[in-house]
Amino acid sequence: MIIEYKKQNTTYLADLNKPIEIGIPVQRARGVSSFGIANADYKVYQDGSFIGNKNQGAGCNLETITFTPHGNSTHTECYGHISLSQHFVNDCITDDFYLAMLHTFKLKKEGEDDVLDFSDLNFIELNRYDSLVIRVLPNTKEKIHANYSGVNAPYILSSDMQKIVDAGIKHIILDLPSVDKEWDNGVLASHHIFWQYPENPRTSASITEFAYIANEIVDGKYLLKLNIANFISDAAPSRPILYPISSK
């Protein structure tokens, strides 16, 4: 199916028959992890003598799954992640189609840390988009199962995050565990700058972390759908999809 999408007086054609998945699911065995968060726990549901397993005589299979969205899969966050009051992702984020730029980033040193190098990103061009999809080098399939706990993963400097905000980006998709340093004494500077919290909260803006963008997906423009799961929380698992797009 080909749909038309209009943005800043330009009409784009997107092919919904060619979805490109860039999410990592909640996994049964070795999933992604960060901040010392344990892997998702799958258990057969039990209630008294009832055991929810067809192989043990039940009429159907039932599972209880315990997981932490921020540490077990691709997830989308709203500003409730850092706010004093409760705000929920599916109340804040309209899960619509968004014009997205995919850009691959190299790393540079900031003291002893690895941070994303924004020197070759055209921020003037970025102003045309709603979303920025970030792929970080090196990019291997191990990202699907990576444990980032204690490794001080690369992150976005607050000065670069301010440039992203100034360009008008409302949705960031990142293939790392966080836009901020793993342990920064709870400052979360880039989160605060992105959401402009608490001074002027961007309540409809979102951050999606722990994505995976395969190497064969070329940099450029796409139509993005986040596909946020319907959880009443500051973050929820999501299944972001890119669709090929061209100008009409």
Side-chain angles (χ1 to χ4, degrees), residues 164-206:
I164 292 171
V165 172
D166 292 342
I169 292 297
K170 293 184 178 180
H171 305 282
I172 289 179
I173 297 86
L174 175 74
D175 64 351
L176 291 169
S178 178
V179 298
D180 275 303
K181 186 173 181 175
E182 182 177 10
W183 298 112
D184 63 355
N185 297 315
V187 174
L188 278 75
S190 286
H191 279 86
H192 280 78
I193 288 173
F194 180 75
W195 280 308
Q196 299 288 282
Y197 182 85
E199 293 83 6
N200 187 28
R202 300 203 303 159
T203 59
S204 60
S206 74

Side-chain angles (χ1 to χ4, degrees), residues 36-57:
I37 296 171
N39 196 62
D41 184 31
Y42 288 73
K43 290 183 178 179
V44 173
Y45 176 78
Q46 298 188 44
D47 183 9
S49 60
F50 174 80
I51 301 176
N53 187 298
K54 283 283 290 185
N55 291 316
Q56 297 186 54

Side-chain angles (χ1 to χ4, degrees), residues 29-239:
R30 185 168 62 96
V32 293
S33 182
S34 63
F35 310 109
I37 296 171
N39 196 62
D41 184 31
Y42 288 73
K43 290 183 178 179
V44 173
Y45 176 78
Q46 298 188 44
D47 183 9
S49 60
F50 174 80
I51 301 176
N53 187 298
K54 283 283 290 185
N55 291 316
Q56 297 186 54
C60 60
N61 297 310
L62 294 175
E63 288 184 314
T64 298
I65 307 169
T66 303
F67 70 99
T68 304
H70 289 283
N72 290 142
S73 68
T74 304
H75 60 277
T76 299
E77 309 168 346
C78 70
Y79 81 111
H81 184 42
I82 58 168
S83 66
L84 290 171
S85 54
Q86 283 190 320
H87 301 281
F88 305 131
V89 63
N90 279 292
D91 292 335
C92 294
I93 311 304
T94 302
D95 198 352
D96 205 345
F97 288 103
Y98 299 104
L99 188 63
M101 173 194 281
L102 167 59
H103 187 83
T104 299
F105 289 82
K106 296 178 182 178
L107 299 175
K108 66 178 183 179
K109 283 292 184 181
E110 180 74 11
E112 296 183 355
D113 296 342
D114 289 322
V115 299
L116 275 64
D117 184 354
F118 280 77
S119 61
D120 66 346
L121 180 64
N122 187 333
F123 283 96
I124 295 176
E125 181 184 0
L126 190 62
N127 186 60
R128 298 166 46 198
Y129 297 85
D130 307 298
S131 311
L132 175 61
V133 181
I134 295 173
R135 172 171 49 200
V136 180
L137 298 177
N139 188 53
T140 70
K141 289 185 178 180
E142 282 301 308
K143 285 185 177 179
I144 297 173
H145 304 286
N147 183 350
Y148 292 92
S149 300
V151 304
N152 194 23
Y155 59 93
I156 299 175
L157 290 174
S158 57
S159 56
D160 290 319
M161 184 62 84
Q162 185 61 60
K163 294 176 184 177
I164 292 171
V165 172
D166 292 342
I169 292 297
K170 293 184 178 180
H171 305 282
I172 289 179
I173 297 86
L174 175 74
D175 64 351
L176 291 169
S178 178
V179 298
D180 275 303
K181 186 173 181 175
E182 182 177 10
W183 298 112
D184 63 355
N185 297 315
V187 174
L188 278 75
S190 286
H191 279 86
H192 280 78
I193 288 173
F194 180 75
W195 280 308
Q196 299 288 282
Y197 182 85
E199 293 83 6
N200 187 28
R202 300 203 303 159
T203 59
S204 60
S206 74
I207 295 174
T208 298
E209 296 162 336
F210 266 144
Y212 174 67
I213 304 105
N215 288 317
E216 58 265 25
I217 306 171
V218 299
D219 282 2
K221 60 179 178 288
Y222 294 88
L223 203 60
L224 167 73
K225 186 76 162 54
L226 290 171
N227 298 308
I228 305 169
N230 197 15
F231 280 80
I232 300 176
S233 182
D234 67 276
S238 56
R239 191 178 188 179

